[in-house]
């Protein structure tokens, strides 16, 4: 009488014999929760051919994966194409609805865990994690077929049914946490604005020692004035559309914030220990992300008129007349909603409008539309 293992082996042999064609992957065998799985390397050119998406037209309860967000794909593909020497993609996780036969190199030790994984070509490969990476790879290969010889790690599990595949998707994403934007800026060495932002936190006396480099929110007791992410978005707004070399952008950005600093005495009071960072953040809004973002947008408008320091610095002088205290009722509905500072796009625009009026700058058509809605009580 055949043992269960022998029967399974015979079934696999029969499957291979019936198809006649199979994929062979060099692989390492592992065990999780009593189930075997296999890790391998797969050439990028094979990824679009063998790994399938769940059908988009099925209802959510009949799928094992989320619907593909095609809006994410161009940026992901561009990431590969623009960084051919140092892009990094993590492993794909796939379920195989079909037979898998693992031929190990030896009977024990490391040789028992390494070998070749054979999968019939008529087996169905379903991605549990990494569908957007898979689609981006396909898109990138159309533009640069030479990427096809590069590889990506793939982890294969045996598909034991829809409920198991759905559970795998839930488990793989259950504890996924997007890193704080600040630490992303800190570690990003490709993004020019991230480089500029890090540079001024090191060079400028305004920011050195007063920027939270890792978290994107400040605790009530934090001694920092700004978050790195807030400064990043402020700089992004400031430099939008300006054609500057990196060194020029760093110098201009530092000069701009130093000019702003002269109009906001509370920043200097914190540096001089005349006011604590906690008190300043509690009573004023000008170190919050919405203020830095709005100041950057206003600065951009001035720099587009003239990058000569004498011109735009003079235009910033009226900032000294702005009442930045939370008690200023003008901020309600603009920068503050329900007693809390809001960073929504609409509130940033309303804050920009307020500053533009103080500086004698005209509103753009879009800014005027938002302002009119706010004055009508529709904002």
């Amino acid at each position: 009488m055949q043992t269960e293992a022998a029967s399974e082996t015979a079934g696999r042999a029969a499957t291979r014999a019936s198809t006649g064609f199979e994929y062979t992957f060099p692989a390492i065998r592992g065990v999780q929760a009593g189930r075997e799985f296999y890790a391998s390397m797969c050439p990028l050119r094979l990824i679009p051919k063998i790994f399938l998406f769940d059908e988009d037209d099925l209802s959510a309860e009949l799928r094992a994966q989320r619907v593909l967000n095609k809006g994410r794909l161009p940026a992901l593909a561009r990431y590969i194409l623009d960084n051919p020497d140092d892009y990094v993609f993590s492993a794909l996780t796939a379920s195989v609805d079909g037979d898998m036969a693992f031929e190990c190199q030896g009977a024990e030790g490391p040789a028992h865990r390494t070998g070749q994984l054979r999968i019939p070509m008529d087996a169905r490969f379903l991605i549990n994690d990494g569908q957007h990476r898979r689609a981006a790879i396909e898109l990138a290969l159309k533009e640069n077929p030479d990427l096809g010889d590069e590889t990506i790690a793939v982890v294969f599990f045996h598909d034991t049914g829809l409920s198991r595949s759905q559970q795998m998707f839930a488990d793989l994403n259950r504890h996924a946490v997007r890193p704080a934007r600040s630490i992303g800026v800190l570690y990003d060495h490709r993004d020019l604005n991230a480089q500029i932002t890090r540079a001024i936190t090191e060079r400028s006396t305004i920011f050195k020692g007063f920027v939270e480099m890792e978290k994107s929110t400040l605790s009530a007791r934090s001694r920092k004035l700004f978050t790195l992410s807030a400064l990043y978005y402020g700089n992004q707004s400031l430099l939008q559309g300006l054609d500057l070399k990196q060194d020029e952008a760093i110098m201009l950005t530092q000069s701009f914030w130093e000019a702003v600093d002269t109009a906001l005495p509370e920043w200097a009071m914190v540096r001089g220990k005349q006011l604590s960072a906690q008190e300043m953040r509690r009573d004023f809004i000008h170190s919050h992300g919405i203020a830095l973002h709005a100041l950057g947008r206003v600065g951009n408008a001035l720099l587009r008129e003239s990058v000569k320091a004498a011109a735009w610095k003079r235009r910033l002088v009226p900032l000294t007349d702005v009442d930045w205290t939370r008690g200023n009722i003008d901020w309600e509905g603009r920068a503050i909603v329900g007693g809390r500072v809001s960073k929504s796009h609409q509130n940033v625009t309303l804050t920009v409008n307020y500053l533009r009026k103080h500086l004698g700058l005209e509103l753009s058509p879009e800014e005027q539309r938002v302002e009119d809605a706010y004055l009508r009580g529709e904002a």
Side-chain angles (χ1 to χ4, degrees), residues 203-318:
R203 300 182 186 185
S204 175
T205 56
I206 300 172
F207 301 113
K208 191 171 185 178
F210 292 95
V211 176
E212 169 53 59
M213 305 296 283
E214 186 170 349
K215 300 175 183 177
S216 293
T217 56
L218 295 175
S219 67
R221 296 185 178 182
S222 175
R223 296 181 180 179
K224 307 296 185 181
L225 281 178
F226 318 94
T227 64
L228 189 64
S229 59
L231 185 56
Y232 172 90
Y233 289 119
N235 291 338
Q236 187 178 62
S237 297
L238 176 67
L239 300 173
Q240 182 70 36
L242 300 180
D243 185 16
L244 300 169
K245 295 180 180 179
Q246 182 172 341
D247 289 343
E248 294 174 332
I250 292 172
M251 292 177 61
L252 180 60
T253 302
Q254 182 174 342
S255 181
F256 172 78
W257 291 116
E258 288 174 350
V260 169
D261 179 67
T262 62
L264 308 178
E266 292 80 20
W267 288 8
M269 290 173 67
V270 173
R271 295 197 301 273
K273 299 184 179 179
Q274 299 163 283
L275 184 69
S276 72
Q278 299 96 312
E279 291 171 330
M280 204 274 286
R281 293 197 311 274
R282 181 194 65 200
D283 298 334
F284 299 85
I285 70 166
H286 47 37
S287 72
H288 287 261
I290 187 173
L292 297 184
H293 194 162
L295 286 165
R297 279 178 53 176
V298 170
N300 180 261
L302 297 178
L303 293 174
R304 285 175 179 272
E305 292 180 5
S306 174
V307 293
K308 293 181 179 180
W312 59 258
K313 284 185 179 180
R314 183 173 61 254
R315 302 289 297 277
L316 287 174
V317 172

Side-chain angles (χ1 to χ4, degrees), residues 118-233:
R118 299 182 181 278
I119 304 175
M121 286 189 176
D122 60 357
R124 187 169 182 264
F125 297 79
L126 178 66
I127 291 183
N128 301 106
D129 183 57
Q131 64 166 346
H132 290 91
R133 274 165 276 155
R134 176 251 183 237
I137 288 169
E138 181 177 16
L139 202 60
L141 286 171
K142 291 178 180 178
E143 188 166 334
N144 184 6
D146 292 340
L147 291 169
D149 292 329
E150 300 198 0
T151 56
I152 188 171
V154 181
V155 180
F156 296 98
F157 289 87
H158 190 264
D159 189 343
T160 58
L162 177 62
S163 61
R164 173 60 182 164
S165 292
Q166 289 176 335
Q167 187 62 58
M168 285 177 64
F169 175 82
D171 289 347
L172 287 166
N173 290 277
R174 184 185 306 275
H175 302 295
V177 178
R178 187 179 181 88
R181 182 56 184 157
S182 284
I183 201 168
V185 173
L186 181 63
Y187 291 165
D188 194 338
H189 296 274
R190 291 195 184 96
D191 186 338
L192 178 59
N193 190 49
Q195 296 176 41
I196 293 168
T197 302
R198 288 195 304 272
I200 66 170
T201 62
E202 297 168 359
R203 300 182 186 185
S204 175
T205 56
I206 300 172
F207 301 113
K208 191 171 185 178
F210 292 95
V211 176
E212 169 53 59
M213 305 296 283
E214 186 170 349
K215 300 175 183 177
S216 293
T217 56
L218 295 175
S219 67
R221 296 185 178 182
S222 175
R223 296 181 180 179
K224 307 296 185 181
L225 281 178
F226 318 94
T227 64
L228 189 64
S229 59
L231 185 56
Y232 172 90
Y233 289 119

Side-chain angles (χ1 to χ4, degrees), residues 42-54:
C42 185
L44 295 187
R45 66 175 177 275
L46 287 183
I47 296 298
K49 298 178 181 178
I50 65 177
F51 293 101
L52 305 176
F53 292 130
D54 231 349

